[in-house]
Amino acid sequence: MKQTEIQDTADLLKALGEFNRLSLVYRLCECPQPQNAMCLCDCCSVDASVVSRHLKTLAQAGILKLDKKGRERTYSLDRANVVNQLRALATKIETSL
Amino acid sequence: MKQTEIQDTADLLKALGEFNRLSLVYRLCECPQPQNAMCLCDCCSVDASVVSRHLKTLAQAGILKLDKKGRERTYSLDRANVVNQLRALATKIETSL
DNA sequence: CATATATTTGCATTATTGCGCAAATATGTC
DNA sequence: GACATATTTGCGCAATAATGCAAATATATG
């Protein structure tokens, strides 16, 4: 197993492994439409600047996609990517021997 | 979604989301037999005491099982638990809308 | 019991992280 | 452009976490 692969996976899990960030992810789970940051603020009781940073962290980890359509800035889950990586890890743990 | 559930899931992901700990997990993936701590030390270049602490962290998160058979102390992956939790999260992200 | 090895724990250090606040920078509206 | 709102960034602080070393505590073996 390459070190970089381990690091990449660790980065994804670390990004998900914080209460407020995971709350944001669950919140976005429920949204059929992409959401703007303010709309997401109410799911965790922290300052808007903190939400902004968490969203950035999640986006950098490939968990969220930032959609800049014209003047709107909205976030949505990159479901495929997150699901694939989680499943890949699960499968590896389950089957490698 | 309950706060405690979010917290529990975040705790699991946080435990996995650190390079040396994830390296230990991958290392244990390859082991059909439970391993003692020293045997696991070579997969990450840190002090044995650090490995000991990481193993403890992983065990507390339900990722590893500590087997004390007689005088042997060995660690093994709790594959079922980790796999179930990862898959549950993946499914939630994939399907909840 | 004495000795060797394995593992954990206490302690100090350093690095990282989450947070709030205020200021700066968009971005949209009139 | 002036103004309101949304978002990001700089800064400092407090809490957490990772690490190494040395000492303590097992645990085996002679």
Coordinates of all heavy atoms in Angstrom, one line a residue, chain D residues 3 6-7 9 14 25 28:
Chain D
dC3 P -24.6 55.3 1.9 OP1 -25.4 56.3 2.6 OP2 -23.2 55.0 2.2 O5' -25.3 53.9 2.0 C5' -26.6 53.7 1.5 C4' -27.0 52.2 1.4 O4' -26.2 51.6 0.4 C3' -26.6 51.4 2.7 O3' -27.8 50.9 3.3 C2' -25.7 50.3 2.2 C1' -26.0 50.2 0.7 N1 -24.9 49.7 -0.1 C2 -25.1 48.6 -0.9 O2 -26.2 48.1 -0.9 N3 -24.0 48.1 -1.6 C4 -22.8 48.7 -1.6 N4 -21.9 48.2 -2.3 C5 -22.6 49.9 -0.8 C6 -23.6 50.3 0.0
dA6 P -27.8 37.3 4.2 OP1 -29.0 36.4 4.0 OP2 -27.4 37.7 5.6 O5' -26.6 36.7 3.4 C5' -26.5 36.8 2.0 C4' -25.2 36.3 1.5 O4' -24.2 37.4 1.6 C3' -24.6 35.1 2.3 O3' -24.0 34.2 1.3 C2' -23.6 35.7 3.2 C1' -23.1 36.9 2.4 N9 -22.6 38.1 3.2 C8 -23.2 38.7 4.2 N7 -22.5 39.7 4.6 C5 -21.4 39.8 3.9 C6 -20.2 40.6 3.9 N6 -20.1 41.6 4.7 N1 -19.3 40.3 3.0 C2 -19.4 39.3 2.2 N3 -20.4 38.4 2.1 C4 -21.4 38.7 3.0
dT7 P -23.5 32.8 1.8 OP1 -23.7 31.9 0.7 OP2 -24.1 32.5 3.2 O5' -22.0 33.1 1.9 C5' -21.3 33.5 0.8 C4' -19.8 33.8 1.1 O4' -19.8 35.0 1.9 C3' -19.1 32.7 1.9 O3' -18.1 32.1 1.1 C2' -18.5 33.5 3.1 C1' -18.6 34.9 2.7 N1 -18.8 35.9 3.8 C2 -17.8 36.9 3.9 O2 -16.9 37.0 3.1 N3 -18.0 37.8 4.9 C4 -19.1 37.8 5.8 O4 -19.2 38.7 6.7 C5 -20.1 36.8 5.6 C7 -21.2 36.7 6.5 C6 -19.8 35.9 4.6
dT9 P -10.5 32.8 1.8 OP1 -9.7 32.9 0.6 OP2 -10.8 31.6 2.5 O5' -9.9 33.8 2.9 C5' -9.8 35.2 2.6 C4' -9.2 36.0 3.7 O4' -10.2 36.2 4.7 C3' -8.0 35.3 4.4 O3' -7.0 36.2 4.6 C2' -8.6 34.8 5.7 C1' -9.6 35.9 6.0 N1 -10.8 35.6 6.9 C2 -11.1 36.5 7.8 O2 -10.6 37.5 8.0 N3 -12.2 36.1 8.6 C4 -13.0 34.9 8.4 O4 -13.9 34.7 9.2 C5 -12.5 34.0 7.4 C7 -13.2 32.7 7.2 C6 -11.4 34.4 6.7
dA14 P -6.7 31.9 26.5 OP1 -7.3 32.6 27.7 OP2 -5.2 31.7 26.5 O5' -7.4 30.5 26.4 C5' -8.8 30.5 25.9 C4' -9.1 29.1 25.5 O4' -8.5 28.8 24.2 C3' -8.6 28.0 26.4 O3' -9.6 27.1 26.7 C2' -7.4 27.4 25.7 C1' -7.7 27.6 24.2 N9 -6.6 27.7 23.3 C8 -5.5 28.5 23.5 N7 -4.6 28.4 22.5 C5 -5.2 27.6 21.6 C6 -4.9 27.1 20.3 N6 -3.7 27.5 19.7 N1 -5.7 26.3 19.7 C2 -6.9 26.0 20.3 N3 -7.3 26.3 21.5 C4 -6.5 27.2 22.1
dT25 P 5.1 0.9 39.3 OP1 4.0 1.4 40.1 OP2 6.3 0.3 40.0 O5' 4.5 -0.3 38.4 C5' 3.5 0.1 37.4 C4' 3.4 -1.0 36.4 O4' 4.6 -1.0 35.6 C3' 3.3 -2.5 36.9 O3' 2.1 -3.0 36.3 C2' 4.5 -3.2 36.4 C1' 4.9 -2.3 35.1 N1 6.2 -2.4 34.6 C2 6.4 -2.9 33.3 O2 5.5 -3.2 32.6 N3 7.7 -3.0 32.9 C4 8.8 -2.6 33.6 O4 9.9 -2.7 33.2 C5 8.6 -2.1 35.0 C7 9.7 -1.8 35.8 C6 7.3 -2.1 35.4
dA28 P 3.0 -14.3 29.7 OP1 2.2 -14.8 28.6 OP2 2.5 -14.7 31.1 O5' 4.5 -14.7 29.6 C5' 5.0 -15.1 28.3 C4' 6.5 -15.0 28.3 O4' 6.9 -14.2 29.3 C3' 7.2 -16.4 28.5 O3' 8.0 -16.6 27.4 C2' 8.0 -16.2 29.8 C1' 8.1 -14.7 29.8 N9 8.3 -14.2 31.2 C8 7.4 -14.0 32.1 N7 7.8 -13.5 33.3 C5 9.2 -13.3 33.0 C6 10.2 -12.8 33.8 N6 10.0 -12.4 35.1 N1 11.5 -12.8 33.3 C2 11.6 -13.2 32.0 N3 10.7 -13.7 31.2 C4 9.5 -13.7 31.7

